[in-house]
Amino acid sequence: MRIAIFGALTGVLLSAGAMAQSSTDEDAAAAVAAPVITAEDREKGLEIWGKIHQVLAHPRCTNCHTPDDRPRWSGPNYGKPRVHGMNISAGDSRIGAETLPCSTCHGDRNTGVRHAPPGAPHWQLPPVEFAWWGKSAAEICAQVKDPDRNGGRSLGEIAKHVDHDALLHWAWTPGLGREPAPFSRDELSAFFLAWEATGAPCP
């Protein structure tokens, strides 16, 4: 009987030891995998994030990155920010398919007429998960880094998205009477890569 009890206790202890060793190994592996972010990296990263935020928080971006189906009108030419006129709703489709399609007024390019409905390929609102209208820099930063809220992308993939998406390019060529987003799309793409290299710190 004593031998059986001793054997059982020995098995439990060996199992616990193996689990503890496994946990220690996992912690060690995580420590090796985790990048070391220095104070200098963080300072540089936050400076780069500040530039990225200038673009993302600009009306050319925030007016469409809304938490509902209503695009916004805001910026120097609009006075007080407000929802899109004419009771426009993008619906769950994000292209207005349920009510009035965005393409009814928005073509695939600008018209060249001052303050006319702007145009770009595939005019639509981004998915509601990408909404950051009214959010702080810290909230937007966390969202941009979260694959569940950025389309499943790494920061490198976001840089490619900025570089290749024709609709995003409109932000820097918004048509007569509209202020373009700051910097350029090439610069924004480079900012994301440089920010990633610093560990992508958030404020």
Side-chain angles (χ1 to χ4, degrees):
M1 181 69 174
R2 290 180 179 178
I3 293 175
I5 293 174
F6 178 76
L9 288 173
T10 301
V12 170
L13 291 173
L14 287 173
S15 176
M19 291 176 64
Q21 181 61 44
S22 175
S23 177
T24 300
D25 291 343
E26 291 175 1
D27 291 343
V32 171
V36 177
I37 308 301
T38 65
E40 183 179 359
D41 285 338
R42 177 173 172 78
E43 182 179 356
K44 182 179 179 181
L46 289 176
E47 180 182 351
I48 297 170
W49 165 252
K51 296 176 181 178
I52 294 173
H53 181 252
Q54 285 184 54
V55 179
L56 303 188
H58 191 274
R60 296 290 76 78
C61 294
T62 58
N63 284 351
C64 289
H65 282 266
T66 59
D68 49 31
D69 61 357
R70 306 294 295 274
R72 302 299 196 267
W73 284 351
S74 71
N77 297 308
Y78 290 98
K80 184 178 180 180
R82 59 190 187 278
V83 297
H84 193 298
M86 299 169 283
N87 199 33
I88 293 298
S89 168
D92 292 336
S93 69
R94 311 302 278 174
I95 61 172
E98 301 86 343
T99 53
L100 183 68
C102 301
S103 59
T104 303
C105 297
H106 296 276
D108 62 0
R109 66 193 69 186
N110 294 324
T111 64
V113 178
R114 190 175 185 84
H115 297 304
H122 315 298
W123 194 269
Q124 65 182 80
L125 291 187
V128 70
E129 292 82 6
F130 300 178
W132 56 67
W133 170 272
K135 291 186 179 180
S136 68
E139 290 172 322
I140 297 173
C141 184
Q143 181 174 350
V144 166
K145 292 168 58 175
D146 184 356
D148 289 336
R149 294 183 290 164
N150 72 12
R153 299 180 178 94
S154 67
L155 293 179
E157 289 168 335
I158 290 177
K160 291 180 180 179
H161 176 58
V162 170
D163 188 48
H164 299 315
D165 192 301
L167 177 54
L168 297 187
H169 297 175
W170 171 86
W172 290 277
T173 54
L176 295 176
R178 295 183 183 87
E179 179 187 23
F183 303 106
S184 70
R185 66 179 178 85
D186 289 338
E187 287 177 307
L188 179 60
S189 182
F191 290 158
F192 272 111
L193 295 176
W195 183 48
E196 181 180 37
T198 67
C202 284

Short mmCIF file of all heavy atoms in Angstrom, two decimals, residues 36-60:
data_model
loop_
_atom_site.label_atom_id
_atom_site.label_comp_id
_atom_site.label_asym_id
_atom_site.label_seq_id
_atom_site.Cartn_x
_atom_site.Cartn_y
_atom_site.Cartn_z
N VAL A 36 13.47 43.82 -27.75
CA VAL A 36 13.85 44.71 -26.66
C VAL A 36 13.66 46.15 -27.14
O VAL A 36 14.31 46.58 -28.10
CB VAL A 36 15.32 44.47 -26.24
CG1 VAL A 36 15.72 45.47 -25.16
CG2 VAL A 36 15.51 43.04 -25.76
N ILE A 37 12.75 46.86 -26.50
CA ILE A 37 12.45 48.23 -26.89
C ILE A 37 13.19 49.18 -25.95
O ILE A 37 12.92 49.23 -24.75
CB ILE A 37 10.93 48.52 -26.83
CG1 ILE A 37 10.17 47.47 -27.62
CG2 ILE A 37 10.65 49.92 -27.34
CD1 ILE A 37 10.55 47.40 -29.07
N THR A 38 14.13 49.90 -26.48
CA THR A 38 14.89 50.84 -25.68
C THR A 38 14.13 52.16 -25.56
O THR A 38 13.18 52.42 -26.31
CB THR A 38 16.26 51.13 -26.32
OG1 THR A 38 16.05 51.80 -27.57
CG2 THR A 38 17.03 49.83 -26.56
N ALA A 39 14.55 52.97 -24.61
CA ALA A 39 13.92 54.28 -24.44
C ALA A 39 14.10 55.12 -25.70
O ALA A 39 13.21 55.87 -26.10
CB ALA A 39 14.53 54.99 -23.23
N GLU A 40 15.24 54.95 -26.36
CA GLU A 40 15.50 55.70 -27.60
C GLU A 40 14.56 55.23 -28.70
O GLU A 40 14.02 56.06 -29.46
CB GLU A 40 16.95 55.49 -28.03
CG GLU A 40 17.33 56.30 -29.26
CD GLU A 40 18.79 56.10 -29.64
OE1 GLU A 40 19.51 55.35 -28.93
OE2 GLU A 40 19.21 56.68 -30.66
N ASP A 41 14.36 53.89 -28.79
CA ASP A 41 13.42 53.35 -29.78
C ASP A 41 12.01 53.90 -29.54
O ASP A 41 11.31 54.28 -30.49
CB ASP A 41 13.37 51.82 -29.71
CG ASP A 41 14.60 51.17 -30.33
OD1 ASP A 41 15.25 51.81 -31.16
OD2 ASP A 41 14.89 50.01 -29.96
N ARG A 42 11.61 53.90 -28.28
CA ARG A 42 10.26 54.36 -27.95
C ARG A 42 10.08 55.84 -28.31
O ARG A 42 9.06 56.22 -28.91
CB ARG A 42 9.96 54.15 -26.46
CG ARG A 42 8.59 54.67 -26.05
CD ARG A 42 8.23 54.31 -24.63
NE ARG A 42 7.00 55.00 -24.22
CZ ARG A 42 5.78 54.63 -24.57
NH1 ARG A 42 5.62 53.57 -25.35
NH2 ARG A 42 4.73 55.29 -24.18
N GLU A 43 11.07 56.63 -27.99
CA GLU A 43 10.99 58.06 -28.31
C GLU A 43 10.90 58.27 -29.82
O GLU A 43 10.07 59.05 -30.30
CB GLU A 43 12.20 58.79 -27.74
CG GLU A 43 12.17 60.30 -27.98
CD GLU A 43 13.37 61.00 -27.38
OE1 GLU A 43 14.20 60.33 -26.72
OE2 GLU A 43 13.49 62.23 -27.58
N LYS A 44 11.73 57.55 -30.55
CA LYS A 44 11.71 57.67 -32.01
C LYS A 44 10.39 57.14 -32.57
O LYS A 44 9.80 57.75 -33.47
CB LYS A 44 12.88 56.89 -32.61
CG LYS A 44 12.97 56.99 -34.12
CD LYS A 44 14.17 56.21 -34.65
CE LYS A 44 14.25 56.29 -36.17
NZ LYS A 44 15.42 55.51 -36.71
N GLY A 45 9.92 56.00 -32.01
CA GLY A 45 8.67 55.42 -32.48
C GLY A 45 7.48 56.33 -32.25
O GLY A 45 6.60 56.45 -33.10
N LEU A 46 7.43 56.98 -31.10
CA LEU A 46 6.33 57.89 -30.81
C LEU A 46 6.36 59.11 -31.72
O LEU A 46 5.31 59.64 -32.10
CB LEU A 46 6.39 58.33 -29.34
CG LEU A 46 6.04 57.25 -28.31
CD1 LEU A 46 6.23 57.79 -26.89
CD2 LEU A 46 4.60 56.77 -28.51
N GLU A 47 7.58 59.53 -32.08
CA GLU A 47 7.69 60.66 -33.02
C GLU A 47 7.12 60.26 -34.39
O GLU A 47 6.38 61.03 -35.03
CB GLU A 47 9.16 61.06 -33.17
CG GLU A 47 9.37 62.22 -34.13
CD GLU A 47 10.84 62.58 -34.30
OE1 GLU A 47 11.68 62.05 -33.54
OE2 GLU A 47 11.15 63.40 -35.19
N ILE A 48 7.43 59.03 -34.82
CA ILE A 48 6.91 58.55 -36.11
C ILE A 48 5.40 58.36 -36.02
O ILE A 48 4.66 58.72 -36.94
CB ILE A 48 7.61 57.24 -36.51
CG1 ILE A 48 9.10 57.46 -36.71
CG2 ILE A 48 6.98 56.67 -37.79
CD1 ILE A 48 9.90 56.18 -36.87
N TRP A 49 4.93 57.79 -34.90
CA TRP A 49 3.49 57.61 -34.74
C TRP A 49 2.77 58.96 -34.83
O TRP A 49 1.68 59.05 -35.39
CB TRP A 49 3.14 56.93 -33.43
CG TRP A 49 1.68 57.07 -33.12
CD1 TRP A 49 1.10 57.85 -32.17
CD2 TRP A 49 0.60 56.47 -33.86
NE1 TRP A 49 -0.27 57.77 -32.25
CE2 TRP A 49 -0.60 56.93 -33.27
CE3 TRP A 49 0.54 55.60 -34.94
CZ2 TRP A 49 -1.86 56.53 -33.74
CZ3 TRP A 49 -0.71 55.19 -35.41
CH2 TRP A 49 -1.89 55.67 -34.81
N GLY A 50 3.37 60.00 -34.29
CA GLY A 50 2.76 61.32 -34.36
C GLY A 50 2.50 61.75 -35.79
O GLY A 50 1.47 62.36 -36.09
N LYS A 51 3.41 61.40 -36.69
CA LYS A 51 3.23 61.73 -38.10
C LYS A 51 2.12 60.87 -38.72
O LYS A 51 1.29 61.37 -39.50
CB LYS A 51 4.54 61.54 -38.86
CG LYS A 51 5.65 62.48 -38.40
CD LYS A 51 6.96 62.18 -39.13
CE LYS A 51 8.07 63.11 -38.65
NZ LYS A 51 9.36 62.80 -39.31
N ILE A 52 2.12 59.59 -38.37
CA ILE A 52 1.06 58.71 -38.86
C ILE A 52 -0.30 59.21 -38.39
O ILE A 52 -1.26 59.27 -39.15
CB ILE A 52 1.29 57.26 -38.37
CG1 ILE A 52 2.57 56.68 -38.97
CG2 ILE A 52 0.09 56.37 -38.71
CD1 ILE A 52 2.96 55.33 -38.41
N HIS A 53 -0.36 59.61 -37.13
CA HIS A 53 -1.63 60.08 -36.57
C HIS A 53 -2.10 61.35 -37.26
O HIS A 53 -3.32 61.55 -37.42
CB HIS A 53 -1.49 60.32 -35.06
CG HIS A 53 -2.75 60.76 -34.42
ND1 HIS A 53 -2.96 62.05 -33.97
CD2 HIS A 53 -3.92 60.09 -34.17
CE1 HIS A 53 -4.16 62.15 -33.47
NE2 HIS A 53 -4.78 60.99 -33.59
N GLN A 54 -1.19 62.21 -37.67
CA GLN A 54 -1.60 63.41 -38.39
C GLN A 54 -2.40 63.06 -39.64
O GLN A 54 -3.35 63.76 -40.00
CB GLN A 54 -0.36 64.23 -38.80
CG GLN A 54 0.29 65.00 -37.67
CD GLN A 54 1.44 65.84 -38.17
OE1 GLN A 54 1.27 66.64 -39.09
NE2 GLN A 54 2.61 65.65 -37.61
N VAL A 55 -2.01 61.97 -40.29
CA VAL A 55 -2.72 61.54 -41.49
C VAL A 55 -4.05 60.87 -41.11
O VAL A 55 -5.12 61.24 -41.63
CB VAL A 55 -1.87 60.55 -42.32
CG1 VAL A 55 -2.65 60.09 -43.55
CG2 VAL A 55 -0.56 61.19 -42.72
N LEU A 56 -4.00 59.92 -40.19
CA LEU A 56 -5.21 59.17 -39.85
C LEU A 56 -6.28 60.04 -39.22
O LEU A 56 -7.48 59.77 -39.37
CB LEU A 56 -4.85 58.01 -38.91
CG LEU A 56 -3.82 57.00 -39.41
CD1 LEU A 56 -3.72 55.82 -38.45
CD2 LEU A 56 -4.14 56.52 -40.82
N ALA A 57 -5.86 61.09 -38.50
CA ALA A 57 -6.81 61.98 -37.83
C ALA A 57 -7.28 63.12 -38.73
O ALA A 57 -8.11 63.93 -38.31
CB ALA A 57 -6.19 62.55 -36.56
N HIS A 58 -6.78 63.18 -39.94
CA HIS A 58 -7.17 64.24 -40.87
C HIS A 58 -8.57 63.95 -41.43
O HIS A 58 -8.95 62.78 -41.59
CB HIS A 58 -6.15 64.32 -42.01
CG HIS A 58 -6.30 65.53 -42.87
ND1 HIS A 58 -7.18 65.57 -43.93
CD2 HIS A 58 -5.70 66.75 -42.81
CE1 HIS A 58 -7.10 66.76 -44.51
NE2 HIS A 58 -6.22 67.50 -43.85
N PRO A 59 -9.35 64.99 -41.73
CA PRO A 59 -10.70 64.77 -42.27
C PRO A 59 -10.76 63.86 -43.49
O PRO A 59 -11.75 63.15 -43.70
CB PRO A 59 -11.17 66.18 -42.62
CG PRO A 59 -10.45 67.06 -41.65
CD PRO A 59 -9.10 66.43 -41.49
N ARG A 60 -9.69 63.84 -44.32
CA ARG A 60 -9.71 62.99 -45.50
C ARG A 60 -9.81 61.51 -45.10
O ARG A 60 -10.24 60.68 -45.89
CB ARG A 60 -8.45 63.21 -46.36
CG ARG A 60 -8.31 64.58 -46.96
CD ARG A 60 -9.35 64.86 -48.06
NE ARG A 60 -10.66 65.15 -47.54
CZ ARG A 60 -11.03 66.32 -47.02
NH1 ARG A 60 -10.18 67.31 -46.92
NH2 ARG A 60 -12.25 66.50 -46.58
#
